Amino acid sequence: MCKKSIFIIGLLLFMSKIVFAEEEIILPKNVIATDMGYTIPALVTWGITGNPFIVTAVQYERQILKNFSLGGRFDYRLLSISDFDYRTDQSSFSLETHARYYLEPNFFFLDGMLGYAGFIYFSSSTDRETIKSLSHYFKLGGKFGWRIDFGKQRGFILEPSFGYYGAIGSSNIEFIKDSGKTGVLFNHWLNQLNKFIIKGFFVGGPQFSLCFGYKF
């Protein structure tokens, strides 16, 4: 009787190991998501002002270790302002690589980013020459956030996160609208404002993400 009991207990332990091993194998290691952090406010602004305003991003993450993952992200932003005889488009696209460390598996995380961004400026009017320009930037930064799961394994996730991205590079656009001492000061202020907007929003600056995705 004792031998049979030991045999049954040993068999149950062996079967439980097989079940847990199968569960570990099928645990999802991939996440694809879209970032809605700025998308909804941009669409609302578009609806109010009538000027096209688009901010969208998609990202992919691959779990390498229990607490570590690698991923990639594509970000696109566009602001278009037009009048009867004038149009200006400012847009950017970013290609980013992300390394993420989870303080707790699949929950709190720290995210480091390296990437490239291109800023495109287009201006056209009836009485001025059309201007087109592409400026290049190197990006780096980090953020922290947490993952909210809607399912135990495969399923939807929600990821709020906050951080800051720095941008290294300069714009190819120089505004020279007026001459004279006052004009020079105004030109300098206008160029500084333009650089601040580019580095502070289009290719860098404070980051708020609200990613909605699916893990599989």
Side-chain angles (χ1 to χ4, degrees):
M1 185 68 180
C2 182
K3 292 182 178 180
K4 289 183 179 180
S5 299
I6 294 174
F7 174 76
I8 292 173
I9 293 172
L11 182 61
L12 290 174
L13 290 173
F14 177 74
M15 293 301 295
S16 65
K17 288 183 178 180
I18 294 177
V19 172
F20 286 126
E22 289 179 351
E23 289 182 352
E24 290 177 0
I25 292 174
I26 64 174
L27 285 177
K29 294 182 177 293
N30 307 284
V31 177
I32 186 167
T34 180
D35 191 348
M36 302 182 299
Y38 290 115
T39 300
I40 296 176
L43 293 177
V44 172
T45 303
W46 186 351
I48 295 174
T49 64
N51 294 313
F53 191 17
I54 300 172
V55 182
T56 185
V58 292
Q59 64 185 42
Y60 169 76
E61 179 187 356
R62 173 71 177 180
Q63 202 75 29
I64 306 300
L65 300 172
K66 184 178 181 180
N67 292 73
F68 180 76
S69 69
L70 293 174
R73 176 184 168 103
F74 175 78
D75 185 294
Y76 177 75
R77 306 185 179 200
L78 166 69
L79 175 60
S80 180
I81 300 175
S82 59
D83 204 339
F84 295 103
D85 58 351
Y86 179 79
R87 174 185 168 188
T88 298
D89 292 345
Q90 297 184 81
S91 62
S92 67
F93 60 93
S94 297
L95 300 173
E96 304 169 2
T97 57
H98 289 257
R100 181 175 291 185
Y101 177 76
Y102 285 89
L103 302 176
E104 292 184 40
N106 288 318
F107 194 50
F108 286 112
F109 61 82
L110 298 176
D111 187 301
M113 183 279 300
L114 292 175
Y116 160 81
F119 176 78
I120 302 171
Y121 180 88
F122 172 83
S123 177
S124 178
S125 64
T126 55
D127 59 346
R128 295 178 184 176
E129 181 182 358
T130 298
I131 301 174
K132 295 181 181 179
S133 173
L134 171 62
S135 304
H136 305 278
Y137 293 86
F138 173 71
K139 301 174 56 173
L140 71 165
K143 59 183 179 179
F144 70 93
W146 58 97
R147 174 179 293 173
I148 303 170
D149 289 329
F150 293 100
K152 292 183 179 180
Q153 292 186 4
R154 300 172 186 269
F156 293 100
I157 59 101
L158 187 66
E159 260 185 21
S161 61
F162 304 87
Y164 187 87
Y165 291 170
I168 302 173
S170 59
S171 171
N172 293 328
I173 295 297
E174 289 291 333
F175 294 100
I176 306 176
K177 295 183 177 294
D178 299 294
S179 58
K181 186 175 181 180
T182 303
V184 170
L185 291 175
F186 178 76
N187 293 335
H188 176 74
W189 176 84
L190 192 61
N191 284 303
Q192 292 300 316
L193 177 63
N194 182 58
K195 293 176 182 178
F196 175 78
I197 293 173
I198 295 173
K199 291 188 175 183
F201 174 74
F202 281 99
V203 300
Q207 302 294 311
F208 167 66
S209 295
L210 185 63
C211 289
F212 180 74
Y214 186 81
K215 60 178 183 176
F216 57 95

